[in-house]
Amino acid sequence: MAHRVTGVLIFFFLFVHVLDTALVRVSPEDYDKVVATYKTPIVACLEYGLVAAILFHALNGLRVIAVDFWSKGPRYQKQMLWSVVGLWVVLMLGAIYPVLGHAARELFGS
């Protein structure tokens, strides 16, 4: 279920991303305003959520491939799921500063 939800979330992000990028041809001033909103701490948190969704979707996709194409995959799918979740948590902890560092500095100062 989480794989499908993250896939849908990523799709909607890509849809919005294409629309806001296309805005540069229609109205460069409005495009600049939209891009300025992307530099807010709230959007930084949403970006962290996007990183979480993409990372989980990618790691779980590799697990799904292993289950489908590895003869022992179905037998080890539960262990692989917990491995994916563990690796995802470790990588998300490592992504806190790179993704949220600017927002923290803006909110709390240098």
Side-chain angles (χ1 to χ4, degrees):
M1 183 67 150
H3 191 73
R4 292 179 178 155
V5 169
T6 55
V8 169
L9 291 173
I10 293 165
F11 171 79
F12 282 120
F13 163 76
L14 290 173
F15 182 72
V16 170
H17 178 64
V18 168
L19 287 178
D20 73 4
T21 303
L23 188 61
V24 76
R25 288 195 170 276
V26 177
S27 174
E29 296 83 19
D30 289 336
Y31 173 78
D32 290 339
K33 290 177 189 174
V34 169
V35 169
T37 64
Y38 292 162
K39 297 175 182 173
T40 64
I42 291 172
V43 175
C45 291
L46 292 173
E47 285 177 347
Y48 189 72
L50 176 65
V51 169
I54 291 171
L55 186 60
F56 179 81
H57 193 79
L59 293 172
N60 193 55
L62 294 173
R63 182 191 69 85
V64 169
I65 290 170
V67 169
D68 287 346
F69 293 107
W70 181 35
S71 62
K72 295 181 184 180
R75 187 177 319 148
Y76 295 111
Q77 69 176 334
K78 191 172 189 177
Q79 292 90 337
M80 288 189 292
L81 174 63
W82 286 112
S83 298
V84 163
V85 170
L87 181 59
W88 178 78
V89 167
V90 168
L91 292 173
M92 287 308 298
L93 288 172
I96 289 174
Y97 182 75
V99 178
L100 296 176
H102 174 72
R105 286 187 298 275
E106 190 167 313
L107 286 173
F108 305 114
S110 305

